[in-house]
Amino acid sequence: MNDQTTLVRAGVSDFAAVSGTAGEFVRMKVNGHVDLRFGPNGVRKSWSRASLRKKVAIVGFAESTRAFAPFADESYEIWGLNQLYRHIPRWDRWFEMHTPEIFTKDIVRDTDYVGWLKGIEPGKPLYMVEKFNDMPASIAFPLEEAVEWIGMDYFQSSLAYMLILACMEGFERIEIYGVDLIVGDEYAYQKPNLEYLLGLARGRGVDIYIPPQSALMRQTYRYGFAIEPDTP
């Protein structure tokens, strides 16, 4: 058995041996870009998780589409964030992308969010701005790789981090539920950022699905072909 066969059997089919030299590998490209999940020696990075699933549903708080997420379909990974754990029946990866000064204070009344984070078993990834020793499941979000993937440092929401990680992890289909980004400051800077990244992901071959009830990627009228509606 050669080294390449060993890697393939281990689920790491993204590498190929070069020049027949044992232990030497080159990173393959995914949709034309370097696969960032592995180091040059073929070892999976600590933030990445092997998954047989090819589809992921990213779920937010908006009630307009949150319930449409495929919770009952085990062919999907379900990714949640912040204090959404109170509203969804299952999840596979969690995201708390704020500093402790924020996530330890901005807590729903009569809940123990910090205690819940600390209680997540290490088998389920908890992505955070850094690794916290009192939270065994916590993993430092791979910011450097994420910036490399999009080619710029442009992240205006937790959802932006979630989307790009899903792209880096090689999911072929990404679905977005419970996300409108039309309330308060979200409309001004979070929504255009996420929509840009959704377009970038689609341009790189990722199948993106957004329910028609969502406010994401929606126009109020078609410029030039319709009369602009009155605005207050």
Side-chain angles (χ1 to χ4, degrees), residues 100-138:
E101 290 78 11
I102 295 178
F103 74 74
T104 59
K105 296 177 181 178
D106 187 16
I107 297 176
V108 176
R109 183 178 177 179
D110 298 326
T111 66
D112 184 13
Y113 177 49
V114 175
W116 183 82
L117 292 174
K118 292 180 178 180
I120 298 176
E121 296 295 329
K124 281 192 168 184
L126 167 60
Y127 294 97
M128 307 185 78
V129 295
E130 62 181 282
K131 166 73 177 176
F132 294 98
N133 292 331
D134 59 345
M135 297 180 179
S138 65

Side-chain angles (χ1 to χ4, degrees), residues 147-217:
V147 171
E148 180 180 349
W149 195 90
I150 68 173
M152 66 179 75
D153 190 352
Y154 186 34
F155 299 94
Q156 294 290 290
S157 69
S158 298
L159 295 160
Y161 294 117
M162 297 167 78
L163 172 63
I164 297 307
L165 184 67
C167 292
M168 292 195 301
E169 286 282 49
F171 285 95
E172 296 175 358
R173 182 176 174 87
I174 301 174
E175 302 185 2
I176 310 292
Y177 298 92
V179 180
D180 287 321
L181 299 181
I182 56 175
V183 178
D185 293 341
E186 294 178 340
Y187 180 80
Y189 61 92
Q190 293 190 8
K191 191 169 187 282
N193 173 230
L194 184 61
E195 291 183 332
Y196 167 78
L197 296 176
L198 285 166
L200 180 64
R202 176 171 286 177
R204 294 191 179 182
V206 181
D207 184 13
I208 300 292
Y209 173 75
I210 302 169
Q213 298 86 347
S214 172
L216 285 178
M217 311 291 280

Side-chain angles (χ1 to χ4, degrees), residues 24-55:
E24 291 188 21
F25 300 91
V26 293
R27 289 194 291 181
M28 301 297 287
K29 292 187 176 182
V30 178
N31 293 325
H33 294 267
V34 173
D35 189 338
L36 300 172
R37 294 172 294 176
F38 303 92
N41 60 352
V43 176
R44 184 181 289 272
K45 295 182 180 179
S46 61
W47 54 264
S48 179
R49 292 293 181 272
S51 177
L52 297 177
R53 296 165 173 160
K54 299 298 183 182
K55 300 178 289 186

